[in-house]
Amino acid sequence: FNTPSYWLILKKMSRFRKISLALAFSLAVLIGHPAYAGPLPFNETWLEELRQDARRSGVSEETIQNRLSNLTPMDKFPSRDEQKEFSKKITLADYLRPRVSSKNIADGSSYMRQHGPFLRETERKYGVPPQIIMAIWAIETAFGRNTGDLDVITSLVTLARDHPEEEKRKSFRLQAIAALRLIDAGYVQLKNGSWAGALGQAQFMPDNVEKLGVDLDGDGIKDIWNNKNEVFASIANYLANSRLGAWQTGQRWGREVVLPPGFDKHLLTDKLKYQAQKTPDEWSRLGVTLIGGKSLPSENKMTGMIIAPDGPGGRIFLVYNNFKTVMGYNPSYKYALAVHMLADAIAEHYLTRQPSPGLDQ
C-alpha cells in the first residue's frame, strides 16, 4: 500500500472508512485477489479532460494519442519531507558534504577552464559568473552525467493527479501539457527526466525549456541535453530572469553571521515570503555581527535576510538578492547555500590551481 494514490485516498476519509478500506484491501490480498497492487490506474474521464486541455493548448492529435494513451502511473514519488533539501532530518552539514566536495570543486574548476572563453562571453551577456553556472550544473546533474531515467509524461501526469497539494497538481498539469508541446516541436530527447519532470543537464521544467532555454545554433531546439554551450547559456538566462529576482552583477550572495543573545527568533522564519528584509546597517543595529564579533560592513543600498537552515542553534547566514535568485531554481535554503559555497570554492580553485578542502575531507 506504499503508494501516493492510496495514502491520498486514506487521508481524505473518516477514521471508520479508513479502517474499513484497509481491512478490505488486506482481506483481498489474503484470498488471492488483491484489490490494489501498485498505483491506481488513470481514470479515462480524467485523462480525456487532460487531452482536451492539451488540444486547447495547441498540441497535435498525434502527440496526444501517442503520449496520453495506455499510461501506467509512476510507482511512487517522494514527499517533501523525503527530499533531502527540505528534510529536517538532514542537517546542513549532511547536505553540503557530498555537494561541496573536493571532486566537485576540482571538476568544476577544470570545466571552467575548458569552457573559459564561452563562459566569459556568457557572463558578459547575462551577468552570471562562470562558477555559479558550474555549481548548478554539478549539483543538478553531476556535470551532465545524471539527467534522470523516468518517462517525463508519465511522471508529470501522475503528479498532476496524485500530488497532495492542489496548487502543485495544477502546476504539474500545465507542465505535462508544456512537455507535450515540446514533443510536437521536435524534442526527441524528452523521453527521460527526473521524477518531477525536470529535463536535461540543466534540469529545466518543460515550460522553462520553452521560455528560458537558449538556442544558440538556430536549429530550433534548445538543447539542454547534448549541447554544453546551450546548457550554460540556458542556466545563465534562467538566473537572469529568475522568478525570485534577476541576478545582480557584482553583488555577493551573503555571509555567515552571529546573532546576539535575545535575538528575535521570529525574524528567522523558514517561509521565504515572510522573511524580514533589512540593510546590513539595520541588522547591525539589532546586534548581528560577523564570525569573530567584527561588525558587518556598512551598506545601505542592499537588503538581506537572516536564515538558519538548522534552526537558531545552527549556522546563521545573512543572504542577499543573488541567494534568492538561485532559490528560483530550487526553493531551498540548503540548496542555495550549496550552490554558492561550491561556486566560491570552484572560483578559488580556478584562481589558485590548488586543491580546495572539500567538505568530504
Side-chain angles (χ1 to χ4, degrees):
F1 304 149
N2 189 23
T3 66
S5 299
Y6 176 78
W7 293 114
L8 185 61
I9 291 169
L10 288 189
K11 185 178 180 181
K12 294 181 178 179
M13 291 184 173
S14 67
R15 182 172 180 271
F16 176 78
R17 293 180 67 197
K18 289 177 186 177
I19 294 170
S20 298
L21 182 60
L23 288 173
F25 272 51
S26 301
L27 181 60
V29 172
L30 287 172
I31 65 175
H33 298 286
Y36 187 81
L40 294 173
F42 289 113
N43 177 278
E44 182 57 31
T45 301
W46 186 88
L47 273 180
E48 185 55 34
E49 291 174 354
L50 178 59
R51 294 185 191 112
Q52 292 291 354
D53 287 346
R55 290 184 185 102
R56 283 189 284 270
S57 184
V59 179
S60 72
E61 194 63 31
E62 180 183 5
T63 295
I64 289 171
Q65 294 306 319
N66 285 344
R67 299 311 307 272
L68 291 181
S69 299
N70 302 315
L71 282 176
T72 300
M74 251 196 310
D75 208 22
K76 60 182 178 179
F77 57 86
S79 68
R80 185 179 177 89
D81 288 340
E82 291 172 319
Q83 298 171 49
K84 290 182 173 62
E85 60 265 41
F86 299 112
S87 173
K88 293 181 180 179
K89 297 178 182 178
I90 304 295
T91 67
L92 177 61
D94 292 336
Y95 186 83
L96 293 176
R97 190 172 296 109
R99 293 165 179 83
V100 190
S101 65
S102 292
K103 179 170 175 52
N104 278 350
I105 293 166
D107 287 353
S109 174
S110 177
Y111 282 122
M112 206 163 105
R113 199 171 305 282
Q114 180 181 338
H115 298 280
F118 180 78
L119 288 168
R120 287 190 290 274
E121 177 186 335
T122 300
E123 183 176 17
R124 283 192 292 271
K125 183 172 182 177
Y126 298 102
V128 179
Q131 62 267 26
I132 289 288
I133 297 172
M134 294 296 98
I136 289 177
W137 188 33
I139 291 172
E140 289 293 338
T141 60
F143 303 106
R145 293 190 293 271
N146 302 324
T147 58
D149 58 2
L150 299 176
D151 178 72
V152 169
I153 300 299
T154 298
S155 297
L156 291 171
V157 174
T158 302
L159 290 161
R161 185 192 67 174
D162 291 348
H163 198 283
E165 298 176 30
E166 182 180 0
E167 286 304 311
K168 288 289 188 180
R169 291 196 297 274
K170 292 178 181 177
S171 175
F172 282 120
R173 189 182 186 92
L174 294 174
Q175 293 296 344
I177 293 171
L180 293 169
R181 287 197 300 266
L182 289 177
I183 292 171
D184 260 358
Y187 283 77
V188 296
Q189 307 96 328
L190 204 71
K191 180 70 174 173
N192 292 335
S194 77
W195 66 267
L199 300 164
Q201 296 189 35
Q203 290 290 277
F204 277 17
M205 295 302 288
D207 67 338
N208 282 323
V209 176
E210 294 180 311
K211 294 183 295 187
L212 299 173
V214 176
D215 175 14
L216 294 171
D217 55 18
D219 66 352
I221 300 294
K222 298 160 181 180
D223 191 358
I224 59 171
W225 291 265
N226 303 303
N227 186 323
K228 286 187 173 57
N229 284 351
E230 292 188 2
V231 172
F232 302 154
S234 295
I235 292 173
N237 190 40
Y238 188 108
L239 295 177
N241 294 278
S242 172
R243 62 187 176 85
L244 293 180
W247 184 269
Q248 301 297 309
T249 304
Q251 286 192 8
R252 65 182 301 131
W253 64 267
R255 44 172 56 90
E256 191 166 0
V257 296
V258 176
L259 303 181
F263 184 82
D264 183 0
K265 300 302 190 297
H266 289 97
L267 298 176
L268 298 177
T269 175
D270 60 0
K271 300 294 185 184
L272 184 62
K273 64 182 178 180
Y274 300 132
Q275 280 286 354
Q277 294 285 335
K278 301 179 184 294
T279 66
D281 286 354
E282 290 172 326
W283 286 120
S284 289
R285 286 195 287 274
L286 291 175
V288 179
T289 66
L290 296 175
I291 297 292
K294 291 185 178 180
S295 298
L296 293 172
S298 180
E299 174 61 69
N300 283 309
K301 295 180 180 179
M302 292 170 57
T303 60
M305 58 186 184
I306 303 288
I307 65 169
D310 288 336
R315 297 173 70 181
I316 309 294
F317 300 87
L318 170 59
V319 296
Y320 304 110
N321 178 84
N322 286 345
F323 184 89
K324 288 199 299 179
T325 296
V326 168
M327 285 186 69
Y329 221 107
N330 185 322
S332 157
Y333 294 154
K334 292 174 187 173
Y335 174 87
L337 283 167
V339 167
H340 287 293
M341 289 180 178
L342 177 58
D344 287 350
I346 288 172
E348 179 187 356
H349 186 284
Y350 177 85
L351 290 173
T352 63
R353 299 195 183 195
Q354 297 296 320
S356 294
L359 298 183
D360 57 346
Q361 298 297 302

